Amino acid sequence: MIIGLIGSGNIGSTVARLSVGAGHDVVLSNRRGPDTLSELVSELGPRARAGTPTEAAEAGDLVVATVPLRAYRDIPVAPLRGKVVIDTINYYPDRDGHVAELDDESTTTSELLQLHLPDSHVVKAFNNIYVDHLAVLHRPTGHPERSVLPIAGDDEAAKGAVSRFLDSIGYDALDVGPLAEGWRFQRDTPAYVQPYAVPGTAYPTWSARPVSADMLQEKLQEAQRYRDM
């Protein structure tokens, strides 16, 4: 597959490395232009090239949108029609400014992105794991210490495509439901970041631990209890 990346920061570059390691080609992009990605492209080797966000969107069989929330409206719409788009976006009011419908929890970041991309199939993934842990927890299919990542989306075929991609790069997928259920693993929930950190260790040097589907499901259920309080 060709993986298009709109945004090539910490998460984007890590997904790119995992993708290349799994035999996929990647097209990287950011808002500053392809020339700023030459070092990363050189590191990744012949399976990687840089382009504009539009070029990454056009080239990708599957596209990863990994930009700050404040920039989601800059993601190109037309070249993503009919495509599966993985949304890694988290909402940080201090960085992004306050968004009323996110503050009152009447919607989610992925639902906002889906409104922006009405003819695409948005699937939430990669947003609940610390980037350094994402980089080291991948394991082969069937490995006893393989970790699971949650996904959410409104299109079953799109979630299937994302699950297969996650499998190829070393992770299982846990389907949490439609996009509206993505709040269960957003920032400040029990399923966000902490499950993958060894208890007793702390950011930024915290160690990674594998997370099973049962472990993650327990944290997702805790999120419901927290919201109901």
Side-chain angles (χ1 to χ4, degrees), residues 114-173:
Q114 184 67 81
L115 286 172
H116 175 66
L117 301 172
D119 298 317
S120 303
H121 307 294
V122 174
V123 177
K124 190 74 170 182
F126 292 125
N127 69 297
N128 79 314
I129 184 170
Y130 181 54
V131 64
D132 289 356
H133 297 167
L134 177 64
V136 300
L137 284 175
H138 55 100
R139 300 289 187 274
T141 303
H143 193 284
E145 291 190 346
R146 200 177 216 220
S147 290
V148 63
L149 296 174
I151 64 172
D154 295 337
D155 184 276
E156 293 302 319
K159 287 191 285 188
V162 172
S163 296
R164 290 189 293 275
F165 171 62
L166 291 180
D167 178 56
S168 76
I169 64 171
Y171 288 91
D172 289 333

Short mmCIF file of all heavy atoms in Angstrom, two decimals, residues 114-173:
data_model
loop_
_atom_site.label_atom_id
_atom_site.label_comp_id
_atom_site.label_asym_id
_atom_site.label_seq_id
_atom_site.Cartn_x
_atom_site.Cartn_y
_atom_site.Cartn_z
N GLN A 114 -14.90 14.51 10.05
CA GLN A 114 -15.81 13.87 9.10
C GLN A 114 -16.72 14.89 8.43
O GLN A 114 -17.00 14.79 7.23
CB GLN A 114 -16.64 12.80 9.81
CG GLN A 114 -17.56 12.01 8.89
CD GLN A 114 -16.80 11.13 7.90
OE1 GLN A 114 -16.36 10.04 8.25
NE2 GLN A 114 -16.65 11.58 6.66
N LEU A 115 -17.16 15.90 9.17
CA LEU A 115 -17.95 16.97 8.57
C LEU A 115 -17.15 17.74 7.53
O LEU A 115 -17.67 18.16 6.50
CB LEU A 115 -18.46 17.93 9.66
CG LEU A 115 -19.60 17.43 10.53
CD1 LEU A 115 -19.86 18.42 11.67
CD2 LEU A 115 -20.87 17.22 9.72
N HIS A 116 -15.86 17.92 7.81
CA HIS A 116 -14.98 18.61 6.87
C HIS A 116 -14.72 17.76 5.63
O HIS A 116 -14.51 18.30 4.53
CB HIS A 116 -13.66 18.94 7.57
CG HIS A 116 -12.63 19.55 6.68
ND1 HIS A 116 -12.77 20.80 6.10
CD2 HIS A 116 -11.41 19.07 6.24
CE1 HIS A 116 -11.71 21.08 5.37
NE2 HIS A 116 -10.87 20.05 5.43
N LEU A 117 -14.74 16.43 5.80
CA LEU A 117 -14.46 15.48 4.70
C LEU A 117 -15.70 14.63 4.47
O LEU A 117 -15.70 13.40 4.72
CB LEU A 117 -13.26 14.60 5.06
CG LEU A 117 -11.93 15.30 5.35
CD1 LEU A 117 -10.91 14.30 5.87
CD2 LEU A 117 -11.40 16.03 4.12
N PRO A 118 -16.79 15.20 3.97
CA PRO A 118 -18.07 14.48 3.93
C PRO A 118 -18.07 13.25 3.03
O PRO A 118 -18.90 12.35 3.23
CB PRO A 118 -19.05 15.54 3.41
CG PRO A 118 -18.19 16.52 2.66
CD PRO A 118 -16.90 16.56 3.42
N ASP A 119 -17.17 13.19 2.06
CA ASP A 119 -17.15 12.06 1.14
C ASP A 119 -16.00 11.09 1.42
O ASP A 119 -15.71 10.21 0.61
CB ASP A 119 -17.06 12.56 -0.31
CG ASP A 119 -18.27 13.40 -0.69
OD1 ASP A 119 -19.40 13.01 -0.35
OD2 ASP A 119 -18.09 14.47 -1.31
N SER A 120 -15.35 11.26 2.57
CA SER A 120 -14.28 10.36 3.01
C SER A 120 -14.81 9.48 4.13
O SER A 120 -15.89 9.69 4.67
CB SER A 120 -13.07 11.15 3.48
OG SER A 120 -12.59 12.01 2.48
N HIS A 121 -14.01 8.48 4.50
CA HIS A 121 -14.39 7.55 5.56
C HIS A 121 -13.38 7.70 6.70
O HIS A 121 -12.29 7.13 6.64
CB HIS A 121 -14.42 6.12 5.04
CG HIS A 121 -15.26 5.95 3.81
ND1 HIS A 121 -16.63 6.14 3.81
CD2 HIS A 121 -14.91 5.65 2.54
CE1 HIS A 121 -17.10 5.94 2.58
NE2 HIS A 121 -16.08 5.65 1.79
N VAL A 122 -13.73 8.49 7.69
CA VAL A 122 -12.81 8.81 8.78
C VAL A 122 -12.85 7.70 9.83
O VAL A 122 -13.93 7.24 10.24
CB VAL A 122 -13.17 10.17 9.42
CG1 VAL A 122 -12.31 10.43 10.66
CG2 VAL A 122 -13.00 11.29 8.39
N VAL A 123 -11.66 7.29 10.27
CA VAL A 123 -11.51 6.31 11.35
C VAL A 123 -10.53 6.87 12.38
O VAL A 123 -9.43 7.28 12.02
CB VAL A 123 -11.00 4.95 10.82
CG1 VAL A 123 -10.79 3.97 11.98
CG2 VAL A 123 -11.97 4.37 9.80
N LYS A 124 -10.95 6.90 13.63
CA LYS A 124 -10.08 7.38 14.71
C LYS A 124 -9.09 6.30 15.10
O LYS A 124 -9.46 5.14 15.32
CB LYS A 124 -10.93 7.75 15.93
CG LYS A 124 -10.16 8.49 17.02
CD LYS A 124 -9.92 9.89 16.59
CE LYS A 124 -9.37 10.76 17.72
NZ LYS A 124 -9.19 12.14 17.26
N ALA A 125 -7.80 6.65 15.19
CA ALA A 125 -6.76 5.71 15.63
C ALA A 125 -5.49 6.48 15.96
O ALA A 125 -5.33 7.63 15.55
CB ALA A 125 -6.48 4.66 14.55
N PHE A 126 -4.61 5.84 16.70
CA PHE A 126 -3.27 6.35 17.04
C PHE A 126 -3.28 7.52 18.03
O PHE A 126 -2.21 8.02 18.38
CB PHE A 126 -2.50 6.79 15.79
CG PHE A 126 -2.10 5.69 14.86
CD1 PHE A 126 -2.47 5.73 13.52
CD2 PHE A 126 -1.34 4.61 15.31
CE1 PHE A 126 -2.10 4.73 12.64
CE2 PHE A 126 -0.98 3.60 14.43
CZ PHE A 126 -1.35 3.66 13.10
N ASN A 127 -4.41 8.01 18.45
CA ASN A 127 -4.43 9.22 19.27
C ASN A 127 -4.25 8.94 20.75
O ASN A 127 -4.01 9.88 21.52
CB ASN A 127 -5.75 9.98 19.09
CG ASN A 127 -6.93 9.25 19.68
OD1 ASN A 127 -7.25 8.14 19.24
ND2 ASN A 127 -7.56 9.81 20.69
N ASN A 128 -4.37 7.68 21.19
CA ASN A 128 -4.38 7.42 22.63
C ASN A 128 -3.07 6.82 23.14
O ASN A 128 -3.01 6.36 24.29
CB ASN A 128 -5.53 6.48 22.99
CG ASN A 128 -5.21 5.03 22.69
OD1 ASN A 128 -4.71 4.72 21.60
ND2 ASN A 128 -5.48 4.14 23.63
N ILE A 129 -2.04 6.79 22.31
CA ILE A 129 -0.78 6.18 22.71
C ILE A 129 0.36 7.20 22.55
O ILE A 129 0.42 7.94 21.57
CB ILE A 129 -0.51 4.90 21.89
CG1 ILE A 129 0.77 4.19 22.39
CG2 ILE A 129 -0.45 5.19 20.39
CD1 ILE A 129 0.96 2.79 21.79
N TYR A 130 1.21 7.24 23.56
CA TYR A 130 2.37 8.13 23.52
C TYR A 130 3.29 7.69 22.38
O TYR A 130 3.51 6.50 22.16
CB TYR A 130 3.09 8.06 24.86
CG TYR A 130 4.31 8.95 25.00
CD1 TYR A 130 4.24 10.31 24.74
CD2 TYR A 130 5.53 8.41 25.41
CE1 TYR A 130 5.36 11.12 24.87
CE2 TYR A 130 6.65 9.22 25.56
CZ TYR A 130 6.55 10.57 25.28
OH TYR A 130 7.67 11.36 25.42
N VAL A 131 3.83 8.66 21.67
CA VAL A 131 4.56 8.35 20.43
C VAL A 131 5.74 7.42 20.67
O VAL A 131 6.00 6.52 19.87
CB VAL A 131 4.99 9.65 19.73
CG1 VAL A 131 5.98 10.46 20.57
CG2 VAL A 131 5.57 9.36 18.35
N ASP A 132 6.47 7.59 21.76
CA ASP A 132 7.61 6.71 22.03
C ASP A 132 7.16 5.27 22.29
O ASP A 132 7.88 4.32 21.98
CB ASP A 132 8.41 7.22 23.23
CG ASP A 132 9.19 8.48 22.90
OD1 ASP A 132 9.16 8.92 21.74
OD2 ASP A 132 9.81 9.05 23.82
N HIS A 133 5.97 5.11 22.86
CA HIS A 133 5.44 3.76 23.08
C HIS A 133 4.97 3.14 21.77
O HIS A 133 5.19 1.95 21.53
CB HIS A 133 4.30 3.81 24.09
CG HIS A 133 4.71 4.28 25.44
ND1 HIS A 133 3.82 4.66 26.42
CD2 HIS A 133 5.95 4.46 25.99
CE1 HIS A 133 4.49 5.02 27.52
NE2 HIS A 133 5.78 4.92 27.27
N LEU A 134 4.35 3.96 20.92
CA LEU A 134 3.94 3.48 19.60
C LEU A 134 5.14 2.94 18.82
O LEU A 134 5.03 1.95 18.09
CB LEU A 134 3.27 4.62 18.82
CG LEU A 134 2.83 4.32 17.39
CD1 LEU A 134 1.75 3.25 17.35
CD2 LEU A 134 2.35 5.59 16.70
N ALA A 135 6.26 3.58 19.00
CA ALA A 135 7.46 3.22 18.24
C ALA A 135 8.05 1.88 18.66
O ALA A 135 8.78 1.26 17.87
CB ALA A 135 8.51 4.31 18.38
N VAL A 136 7.75 1.39 19.87
CA VAL A 136 8.45 0.20 20.37
C VAL A 136 7.55 -0.98 20.70
O VAL A 136 8.05 -2.09 20.93
CB VAL A 136 9.30 0.53 21.62
CG1 VAL A 136 10.35 1.59 21.28
CG2 VAL A 136 8.44 0.98 22.79
N LEU A 137 6.24 -0.79 20.76
CA LEU A 137 5.35 -1.86 21.19
C LEU A 137 4.86 -2.76 20.06
O LEU A 137 4.16 -3.73 20.31
CB LEU A 137 4.14 -1.28 21.94
CG LEU A 137 4.41 -0.80 23.37
CD1 LEU A 137 3.18 -0.13 23.96
CD2 LEU A 137 4.86 -1.96 24.26
N HIS A 138 5.20 -2.46 18.82
CA HIS A 138 4.74 -3.29 17.70
C HIS A 138 5.34 -4.69 17.81
O HIS A 138 6.51 -4.85 18.17
CB HIS A 138 5.09 -2.64 16.37
CG HIS A 138 6.54 -2.33 16.20
ND1 HIS A 138 7.40 -3.14 15.48
CD2 HIS A 138 7.30 -1.30 16.66
CE1 HIS A 138 8.61 -2.63 15.49
NE2 HIS A 138 8.58 -1.50 16.21
N ARG A 139 4.51 -5.69 17.51
CA ARG A 139 4.92 -7.09 17.58
C ARG A 139 4.30 -7.85 16.41
O ARG A 139 3.26 -7.46 15.89
CB ARG A 139 4.45 -7.74 18.89
CG ARG A 139 4.98 -7.11 20.17
CD ARG A 139 6.46 -7.38 20.38
NE ARG A 139 6.92 -6.91 21.68
CZ ARG A 139 7.33 -5.67 21.94
NH1 ARG A 139 7.31 -4.75 20.98
NH2 ARG A 139 7.74 -5.33 23.15
N PRO A 140 4.88 -8.99 16.01
CA PRO A 140 4.30 -9.79 14.91
C PRO A 140 2.92 -10.32 15.28
O PRO A 140 2.58 -10.46 16.46
CB PRO A 140 5.30 -10.94 14.74
CG PRO A 140 6.56 -10.48 15.41
CD PRO A 140 6.14 -9.56 16.51
N THR A 141 2.13 -10.64 14.28
CA THR A 141 0.82 -11.24 14.48
C THR A 141 0.94 -12.50 15.33
O THR A 141 1.80 -13.34 15.09
CB THR A 141 0.18 -11.59 13.14
OG1 THR A 141 0.11 -10.43 12.33
CG2 THR A 141 -1.23 -12.15 13.34
N GLY A 142 0.10 -12.60 16.36
CA GLY A 142 0.10 -13.77 17.22
C GLY A 142 1.09 -13.72 18.36
O GLY A 142 1.09 -14.63 19.21
N HIS A 143 1.92 -12.71 18.43
CA HIS A 143 2.90 -12.61 19.51
C HIS A 143 2.17 -12.44 20.85
O HIS A 143 1.20 -11.68 20.94
CB HIS A 143 3.82 -11.40 19.26
CG HIS A 143 5.03 -11.38 20.13
ND1 HIS A 143 5.00 -11.02 21.46
CD2 HIS A 143 6.33 -11.66 19.86
CE1 HIS A 143 6.21 -11.08 21.97
NE2 HIS A 143 7.04 -11.47 21.01
N PRO A 144 2.60 -13.13 21.91
CA PRO A 144 1.88 -13.04 23.19
C PRO A 144 1.91 -11.66 23.82
O PRO A 144 1.07 -11.38 24.68
CB PRO A 144 2.61 -14.07 24.07
CG PRO A 144 3.95 -14.25 23.43
CD PRO A 144 3.73 -14.09 21.96
N GLU A 145 2.84 -10.81 23.41
CA GLU A 145 2.90 -9.47 23.98
C GLU A 145 2.50 -8.41 22.94
O GLU A 145 2.95 -7.26 23.01
CB GLU A 145 4.30 -9.18 24.52
CG GLU A 145 4.64 -10.00 25.75
CD GLU A 145 5.92 -9.55 26.42
OE1 GLU A 145 6.68 -8.78 25.80
OE2 GLU A 145 6.15 -9.96 27.57
N ARG A 146 1.65 -8.79 22.02
CA ARG A 146 1.16 -7.82 21.04
C ARG A 146 0.16 -6.87 21.71
O ARG A 146 -0.66 -7.29 22.52
CB ARG A 146 0.48 -8.53 19.87
CG ARG A 146 0.39 -7.63 18.64
CD ARG A 146 -0.21 -8.38 17.48
NE ARG A 146 0.40 -7.98 16.23
CZ ARG A 146 -0.28 -7.80 15.11
NH1 ARG A 146 -1.58 -7.98 15.06
NH2 ARG A 146 0.34 -7.45 14.01
N SER A 147 0.25 -5.60 21.38
CA SER A 147 -0.65 -4.60 21.94
C SER A 147 -1.81 -4.31 21.01
O SER A 147 -1.75 -4.53 19.80
CB SER A 147 0.12 -3.29 22.22
OG SER A 147 1.01 -3.45 23.29
N VAL A 148 -2.87 -3.77 21.60
CA VAL A 148 -4.08 -3.42 20.86
C VAL A 148 -4.26 -1.91 20.90
O VAL A 148 -3.95 -1.26 21.90
CB VAL A 148 -5.30 -4.15 21.45
CG1 VAL A 148 -5.58 -3.71 22.88
CG2 VAL A 148 -6.53 -3.95 20.58
N LEU A 149 -4.75 -1.36 19.80
CA LEU A 149 -5.09 0.06 19.71
C LEU A 149 -6.58 0.18 19.42
O LEU A 149 -7.12 -0.57 18.62
CB LEU A 149 -4.29 0.74 18.59
CG LEU A 149 -2.78 0.80 18.75
CD1 LEU A 149 -2.14 1.37 17.49
CD2 LEU A 149 -2.40 1.64 19.97
N PRO A 150 -7.26 1.15 20.05
CA PRO A 150 -8.68 1.34 19.77
C PRO A 150 -8.89 2.08 18.46
O PRO A 150 -8.08 2.92 18.07
CB PRO A 150 -9.15 2.19 20.96
CG PRO A 150 -7.95 2.99 21.34
CD PRO A 150 -6.76 2.10 21.07
N ILE A 151 -9.98 1.74 17.78
CA ILE A 151 -10.40 2.47 16.60
C ILE A 151 -11.88 2.78 16.72
O ILE A 151 -12.63 2.07 17.41
CB ILE A 151 -10.12 1.70 15.29
CG1 ILE A 151 -10.94 0.41 15.21
CG2 ILE A 151 -8.63 1.41 15.14
CD1 ILE A 151 -10.86 -0.29 13.86
N ALA A 152 -12.34 3.82 16.03
CA ALA A 152 -13.76 4.16 15.97
C ALA A 152 -14.04 4.72 14.58
O ALA A 152 -13.22 5.43 14.01
CB ALA A 152 -14.14 5.18 17.04
N GLY A 153 -15.21 4.39 14.05
CA GLY A 153 -15.57 4.88 12.72
C GLY A 153 -16.98 4.50 12.37
O GLY A 153 -17.56 3.57 12.95
N ASP A 154 -17.55 5.21 11.42
CA ASP A 154 -18.94 4.98 11.01
C ASP A 154 -19.07 4.00 9.85
O ASP A 154 -20.19 3.60 9.53
CB ASP A 154 -19.60 6.31 10.63
CG ASP A 154 -19.71 7.27 11.80
OD1 ASP A 154 -19.70 6.79 12.95
OD2 ASP A 154 -19.82 8.49 11.56
N ASP A 155 -17.98 3.64 9.22
CA ASP A 155 -18.01 2.77 8.05
C ASP A 155 -17.26 1.48 8.36
O ASP A 155 -16.07 1.50 8.69
CB ASP A 155 -17.36 3.48 6.85
CG ASP A 155 -17.46 2.67 5.57
OD1 ASP A 155 -16.60 1.79 5.38
OD2 ASP A 155 -18.38 2.93 4.78
N GLU A 156 -17.99 0.34 8.28
CA GLU A 156 -17.40 -0.92 8.67
C GLU A 156 -16.24 -1.32 7.75
O GLU A 156 -15.21 -1.85 8.21
CB GLU A 156 -18.46 -2.02 8.67
CG GLU A 156 -19.53 -1.84 9.74
CD GLU A 156 -18.97 -1.80 11.15
OE1 GLU A 156 -18.04 -2.58 11.46
OE2 GLU A 156 -19.43 -0.96 11.95
N ALA A 157 -16.38 -1.07 6.45
CA ALA A 157 -15.31 -1.43 5.53
C ALA A 157 -14.06 -0.61 5.80
O ALA A 157 -12.94 -1.12 5.73
CB ALA A 157 -15.77 -1.23 4.08
N ALA A 158 -14.25 0.67 6.14
CA ALA A 158 -13.10 1.52 6.45
C ALA A 158 -12.40 1.04 7.71
O ALA A 158 -11.16 1.00 7.77
CB ALA A 158 -13.56 2.97 6.62
N LYS A 159 -13.17 0.64 8.72
CA LYS A 159 -12.55 0.12 9.94
C LYS A 159 -11.81 -1.19 9.65
O LYS A 159 -10.75 -1.44 10.23
CB LYS A 159 -13.60 -0.07 11.03
CG LYS A 159 -14.08 1.24 11.63
CD LYS A 159 -14.92 1.06 12.88
CE LYS A 159 -16.30 0.57 12.57
NZ LYS A 159 -17.16 0.57 13.80
N GLY A 160 -12.35 -1.98 8.75
CA GLY A 160 -11.64 -3.19 8.36
C GLY A 160 -10.31 -2.89 7.70
O GLY A 160 -9.30 -3.54 7.98
N ALA A 161 -10.30 -1.87 6.84
CA ALA A 161 -9.04 -1.48 6.17
C ALA A 161 -8.02 -0.99 7.18
O ALA A 161 -6.82 -1.31 7.09
CB ALA A 161 -9.32 -0.40 5.13
N VAL A 162 -8.48 -0.21 8.16
CA VAL A 162 -7.55 0.31 9.19
C VAL A 162 -7.06 -0.83 10.07
O VAL A 162 -5.88 -0.88 10.44
CB VAL A 162 -8.23 1.42 10.01
CG1 VAL A 162 -7.36 1.81 11.21
CG2 VAL A 162 -8.51 2.63 9.14
N SER A 163 -7.93 -1.77 10.40
CA SER A 163 -7.51 -2.92 11.21
C SER A 163 -6.42 -3.72 10.50
O SER A 163 -5.45 -4.16 11.11
CB SER A 163 -8.70 -3.82 11.51
OG SER A 163 -9.65 -3.14 12.32
N ARG A 164 -6.59 -3.91 9.19
CA ARG A 164 -5.57 -4.65 8.43
C ARG A 164 -4.26 -3.88 8.38
O ARG A 164 -3.17 -4.47 8.45
CB ARG A 164 -6.09 -4.94 7.02
CG ARG A 164 -7.22 -5.97 7.00
CD ARG A 164 -7.57 -6.39 5.59
NE ARG A 164 -8.15 -5.31 4.79
CZ ARG A 164 -9.44 -5.00 4.79
NH1 ARG A 164 -10.30 -5.64 5.56
NH2 ARG A 164 -9.88 -4.03 4.00
N PHE A 165 -4.34 -2.56 8.26
CA PHE A 165 -3.12 -1.75 8.26
C PHE A 165 -2.42 -1.85 9.62
O PHE A 165 -1.20 -2.05 9.68
CB PHE A 165 -3.46 -0.30 7.94
CG PHE A 165 -2.32 0.66 8.14
CD1 PHE A 165 -1.15 0.53 7.41
CD2 PHE A 165 -2.40 1.68 9.08
CE1 PHE A 165 -0.08 1.40 7.59
CE2 PHE A 165 -1.35 2.55 9.27
CZ PHE A 165 -0.19 2.42 8.53
N LEU A 166 -3.20 -1.74 10.70
CA LEU A 166 -2.60 -1.87 12.03
C LEU A 166 -1.93 -3.23 12.19
O LEU A 166 -0.83 -3.33 12.73
CB LEU A 166 -3.65 -1.66 13.12
CG LEU A 166 -4.23 -0.24 13.27
CD1 LEU A 166 -5.25 -0.22 14.39
CD2 LEU A 166 -3.13 0.77 13.54
N ASP A 167 -2.60 -4.26 11.72
CA ASP A 167 -2.01 -5.60 11.79
C ASP A 167 -0.68 -5.65 11.06
O ASP A 167 0.30 -6.24 11.54
CB ASP A 167 -3.00 -6.61 11.19
CG ASP A 167 -2.43 -8.02 11.18
OD1 ASP A 167 -2.04 -8.52 12.24
OD2 ASP A 167 -2.37 -8.63 10.09
N SER A 168 -0.61 -5.00 9.92
CA SER A 168 0.62 -5.04 9.12
C SER A 168 1.78 -4.35 9.81
O SER A 168 2.94 -4.72 9.59
CB SER A 168 0.38 -4.40 7.74
OG SER A 168 0.33 -2.98 7.81
N ILE A 169 1.50 -3.37 10.65
CA ILE A 169 2.58 -2.65 11.32
C ILE A 169 2.80 -3.12 12.76
O ILE A 169 3.60 -2.55 13.50
CB ILE A 169 2.37 -1.12 11.30
CG1 ILE A 169 1.13 -0.69 12.08
CG2 ILE A 169 2.31 -0.61 9.86
CD1 ILE A 169 1.00 0.81 12.27
N GLY A 170 2.07 -4.17 13.17
CA GLY A 170 2.39 -4.79 14.45
C GLY A 170 1.42 -4.59 15.58
O GLY A 170 1.77 -4.83 16.74
N TYR A 171 0.18 -4.19 15.29
CA TYR A 171 -0.81 -3.94 16.35
C TYR A 171 -2.14 -4.60 16.00
O TYR A 171 -2.53 -4.69 14.84
CB TYR A 171 -1.04 -2.44 16.52
CG TYR A 171 0.11 -1.72 17.18
CD1 TYR A 171 1.13 -1.17 16.41
CD2 TYR A 171 0.21 -1.64 18.56
CE1 TYR A 171 2.21 -0.53 17.00
CE2 TYR A 171 1.29 -1.00 19.16
CZ TYR A 171 2.28 -0.45 18.38
OH TYR A 171 3.35 0.18 18.98
N ASP A 172 -2.85 -5.04 17.04
CA ASP A 172 -4.23 -5.44 16.89
C ASP A 172 -5.13 -4.20 17.04
O ASP A 172 -4.71 -3.19 17.59
CB ASP A 172 -4.62 -6.47 17.96
CG ASP A 172 -3.97 -7.83 17.72
OD1 ASP A 172 -3.66 -8.13 16.54
OD2 ASP A 172 -3.78 -8.56 18.70
N ALA A 173 -6.37 -4.32 16.57
CA ALA A 173 -7.33 -3.22 16.67
C ALA A 173 -8.51 -3.66 17.52
O ALA A 173 -8.97 -4.80 17.43
CB ALA A 173 -7.82 -2.81 15.28
#
